[in-house]
Amino acid sequence: MSIKNRVFSGIQPSGDLHLGNYLGAIRRFVPLQETHECIYCVVDMHAITVWQDPDELRRATREVASAFIAAGIDPKAHIVFNQSQVIQHAELAWVFNCIARIGWMNRMTQFKDKAGKNSENVSLGLLAYPSLMAADILLYKASHVPVGDDQKQHLELTRDIAAKFNNDYAASIAAEGLAEEFFPLTEPLIAGPATRIMSLRDGKKKMSKSDPSDASRISLLDDADAIAKKIKRATTDPEPLPSDEKGLEGRPEADNLVGIYAALSDKSKADVLAEFGGAGWGVFKPALADLAVSVLAPMAGEMQRLIDDPETIDAVLREGADRARVLAEETMTQVRRIVGFIR
Ligand code: AQP
């Protein structure tokens, strides 16, 4: 059974945070604090599924935590922590590794994208990534997970793992006197005009931390000059902007930039096109750059202030982990009994 109105979501400290992470996830975490009990996690154990330099991992972990706080997440009212401090995530992931089927993992498009032609040579952790993600969510019996569109398939797998656990252990769950739906079928929250922000260099590729081209993404710590340059150089077609959304069909780069403008200004794409329809890129790109700077610069300033004070960030993460561990242990105590582990 889900804990009604409990939200869980995580971000990997696997590189510089970018506009896609902000619009697709972090910004949407903020209003949920009004209506839900929120648990926001820096998923450092996920990050090491691909090689991370240890110093860089520490830096990026603090950067993600600082972005949560700078965006408006209150770590006193809600929970902010890094995954590796709550070891129950790894423990439940192991149980789920024994529930999930290898065929399910092999079908994950993120695994296929990241492994490419090298699937025999990537880490076993990269294949098992969705099992750990299911553990993150189900440890807290979260009712909702706000994520970008790229995570939809992993959320479906989380539901499959929950359902198979509930079914495989139905007799044991009943014998323990627990609810039949021990793990909930958690709902994704994927909405708005920015669920998939694309690369500035290629409108068919997702904006990503791990893209080797820095010009492909706007990083949350980019200064005004870097933001303006990247938008100016963003790949576009030569046509002016259309006046309605239908005119964006078959124009992925134009669609992406209009979507970014819409998300940053809290408007619909139709409203943006009503304003800019017929305008060329020489008009639209500077307007988009000004808007991006006006939204991102105050947050970058606050992030930098927090990053420069690592003791405070580390204390926030420790305190959040202490509170998360209490909830996680409650679930794991039940899981150990259900599975038949003696303690
Ligand atoms: N391009 C995107 N558009 C909208 N949302 C996005 N998210 C990621 N990229 C976009 C959302 O950000 C949250 C955190 O993602 P993650 O750190 O867990 O890893 P990811 O989805 O694999 O993101 P990246 O930035 O592409 O990282 P790497 O390159 O390390 O894999 C999620 O909610 C995600 O949907």
Side-chain angles (χ1 to χ4, degrees):
M1 248 187 341
S2 71
I3 308 293
K4 205 168 159 268
N5 296 336
R6 181 179 282 172
V7 155
F8 178 94
S9 199
I11 306 266
Q12 297 187 74
S14 49
D16 295 339
L17 286 174
H18 54 74
L19 190 64
N21 298 134
Y22 178 62
L23 294 176
I26 300 171
R27 191 175 75 153
R28 296 174 47 233
F29 294 174
V30 180
L32 289 166
Q33 295 179 107
E34 302 299 321
T35 47
H36 292 68
E37 177 191 342
C38 300
I39 304 173
Y40 294 129
C41 187
V42 188
V43 286
D44 47 4
M45 295 197 309
H46 278 285
I48 64 164
T49 54
V50 295
W51 167 252
Q52 304 294 330
D53 172 80
D55 284 336
E56 179 50 27
L57 182 66
R58 277 184 279 270
R59 185 206 64 77
T61 299
R62 293 183 181 121
E63 181 186 311
V64 176
S66 75
F68 285 164
I69 298 166
I73 291 162
D74 177 354
K76 290 253 173 280
H78 297 272
I79 295 181
V80 170
F81 73 109
N82 59 311
Q83 189 185 27
S84 60
Q85 291 205 59
V86 179
I87 205 58
Q88 287 82 352
H89 287 250
E91 191 180 358
L92 186 57
W94 180 257
V95 174
F96 287 168
N97 279 344
C98 302
I99 294 286
R101 308 289 94 182
I102 290 178
W104 299 1
M105 301 294 167
N106 277 327
R107 278 196 289 279
M108 294 295 109
T109 51
Q110 181 172 297
F111 175 71
K112 288 194 246 181
D113 288 349
K114 288 199 172 177
K117 292 191 180 74
N118 200 21
S119 66
E120 290 294 306
N121 216 16
V122 293
S123 75
L124 185 53
L126 191 66
L127 181 68
Y129 181 113
S131 230
L132 179 57
M133 180 164 160
D136 300 338
I137 296 162
L138 296 174
L139 207 41
Y140 303 100
K141 300 189 177 171
S143 57
H144 295 92
V145 181
V147 277
D149 182 61
D150 60 319
Q151 293 297 329
K152 195 171 170 196
Q153 198 185 26
H154 287 164
L155 253 301
E156 281 159 12
L157 193 80
T158 296
R159 292 162 65 93
D160 290 344
I161 289 174
K164 185 159 165 31
F165 182 96
N166 293 344
N167 186 56
D168 288 0
Y169 288 107
S172 187
I173 290 168
E176 290 293 334
L178 297 163
E180 202 177 326
E181 193 183 84
F182 176 73
F183 282 124
L185 304 185
T186 305
E187 297 285 344
L189 293 174
I190 303 172
T195 54
R196 188 180 284 257
I197 301 293
M198 308 310 275
S199 155
L200 298 180
R201 308 301 298 164
D202 178 352
K204 294 193 190 70
K205 253 173 73 182
K206 170 180 107 96
M207 187 178 283
S208 178
K209 299 185 210 93
S210 52
D211 192 316
S213 163
D214 186 54
S216 69
R217 63 185 157 261
I218 293 173
S219 297
L220 295 189
L221 289 174
D222 277 346
D223 61 21
D225 201 37
I227 293 175
K229 274 200 187 112
K230 286 179 182 179
I231 292 179
K232 189 169 175 206
R233 291 188 194 145
T235 308
T236 42
D237 56 39
E239 302 301 317
L241 283 170
S243 305
D244 57 31
E245 277 188 82
K246 211 168 156 36
L248 291 173
E249 279 171 19
R251 299 181 64 187
E253 283 87 11
D255 189 23
N256 188 38
L257 294 185
V258 170
I260 292 174
Y261 193 104
L264 285 171
S265 59
D266 279 323
K267 289 182 179 159
S268 66
K269 285 188 197 174
D271 287 343
V272 176
L273 292 175
E275 191 181 339
F276 287 98
W281 296 108
V283 171
F284 185 71
K285 282 182 169 178
L288 177 58
D290 286 349
L291 175 63
V293 170
S294 74
V295 174
L296 297 181
M299 200 174 83
E302 181 59 7
M303 273 175 76
Q304 198 55 59
R305 194 187 66 74
L306 291 161
I307 289 167
D308 291 342
D309 181 8
E311 284 81 17
T312 301
I313 287 285
D314 293 0
V316 165
L317 292 173
R318 261 196 314 275
E319 202 255 329
D322 288 345
R323 285 158 56 213
R325 206 176 294 113
V326 174
L327 304 175
E329 183 53 22
E330 225 171 88
T331 303
M332 267 326 291
T333 302
Q334 293 172 335
V335 169
R336 291 183 205 113
R337 284 209 304 268
I338 291 168
V339 170
F341 293 158
I342 293 176
R343 271 231 162 177

